[in-house]
Amino acid sequence: MGSTNPKLFVVSGPSGAGKGTLVAMTRDRMPGLGLTVSATTRSPRPGEVDGVDYHFLTPEEFQRRVDAGEFVEWAHVHGNCYGTLVSEVRSRLSAGASVILEIDVQGALQVKERFPEAILIFIKPPSLEELRARLVGRGTETPESIELRLANARKELALADRYDKVLVNDDRERACEELVSILQSYERI
Ligand code: ADP
Ligand code: 5GP
């Protein structure tokens, strides 16, 4: 099911702010929205499936694809490489569906440079204390990784004013409703 005016949406913000949570909730309400599968050099977490959660690549394979111009954007994030493949975006947009990229802040700004019509949405945690609590509560990170993500979060928050919209993920239901209404309002344009 395609939308009338397919758009390229980019959702980013600090790790642990709730991007994955909000995007998953939003896709339940907007099933036509295509989520791209990113490539990464990090190892799969328990339960993650290659080709579904990420395309898990060796550093050599990732670099080969960078050199071949296969990425819309890519960045070093928390010690690993992550990127969006052109093929992932093109296939969804050409099917007439809006696309949503859930990527880090450096990548989002690269997308805006290459596609000025892309709509950038920054997901902000209510506070840094709450961000720490969410990262701890998710249970996926070592204490060192949590500190690295919090240090990066401070730098990322300073770039929020370069986004088209800033959304505070306080209550997840409320935030999801706001995200859905933002996406739908752009699709009507
Ligand atoms: P990100 O994708 O930005 O790294 P996640 O979606 O993985 O963040 O969310 C980080 C953690 O915070 C998860 O454990 C998630 O369940 C929790 N979380 C997400 N949104 C909220 C919210 N509004 N209130 C409380 N906890 C939340
Ligand atoms: P995680 O390792 O927790 O899955 O993701 C870590 C960070 O990488 C998150 O902030 C996520 O948004 C970012 N990320 C995931 N995919 C991409 C991508 O394709 N490009 C960029 N630039 N960042 C990504």
Side-chain angles (χ1 to χ4, degrees):
M1 190 183 63
S3 56
T4 28
N5 292 303
K7 292 283 188 309
L8 177 54
F9 295 113
V10 181
V11 167
S12 67
S15 177
K19 302 180 293 294
T21 302
L22 293 183
V23 168
M25 289 169 72
T26 298
R27 290 184 70 227
D28 283 343
R29 296 180 202 189
M30 296 177 68
L33 208 54
L35 179 68
T36 57
V37 179
S38 295
T40 183
T41 59
R42 88 153 159 72
S43 309
R45 293 179 186 137
E48 284 185 332
V49 177
D50 187 32
V52 176
D53 298 287
Y54 281 105
H55 299 290
F56 293 101
L57 305 181
T58 61
E60 294 72 24
E61 176 63 7
F62 195 99
Q63 188 58 49
R64 189 193 67 71
R65 292 184 180 218
V66 170
D67 295 340
E70 291 185 25
F71 285 104
V72 177
E73 60 75 32
W74 71 275
H76 291 283
V77 188
H78 316 312
N80 285 294
C81 294
Y82 293 80
T84 308
L85 292 160
V86 175
S87 55
E88 289 277 329
V89 176
R90 193 173 286 153
S91 62
R92 285 168 178 77
L93 280 177
S94 62
S98 287
V99 177
I100 192 158
L101 309 185
E102 188 198 314
I103 63 177
D104 96 302
V105 172
Q106 310 163 71
L109 297 176
Q110 288 177 46
V111 173
K112 190 76 173 178
E113 262 172 41
R114 188 151 166 193
F115 302 104
E117 71 280 14
I119 297 133
L120 267 51
I121 301 157
F122 191 94
I123 308 291
K124 208 172 174 178
S127 66
L128 284 171
E129 292 70 34
E130 175 63 17
L131 185 63
R132 179 190 291 276
R134 289 185 188 172
L135 284 169
V136 171
R138 191 170 68 183
T140 53
E141 309 306 320
T142 61
E144 294 74 28
S145 167
I146 289 175
E147 292 314 316
L148 178 61
R149 283 162 196 251
L150 286 170
N152 288 338
R154 289 187 179 85
K155 297 179 208 155
E156 290 160 354
L157 286 164
L159 296 168
D161 61 356
R162 295 179 53 185
Y163 281 62
D164 297 292
K165 294 277 177 192
V166 178
L167 193 165
V168 178
N169 179 19
D170 39 22
D171 173 76
R172 67 183 84 192
E173 282 297 332
R174 190 214 62 77
C176 174
E177 264 173 39
E178 187 180 344
L179 184 54
V180 168
S181 86
I182 291 171
L183 302 185
Q184 289 179 338
S185 70
Y186 278 105
E187 280 191 336
R188 281 194 290 270
I189 297 172

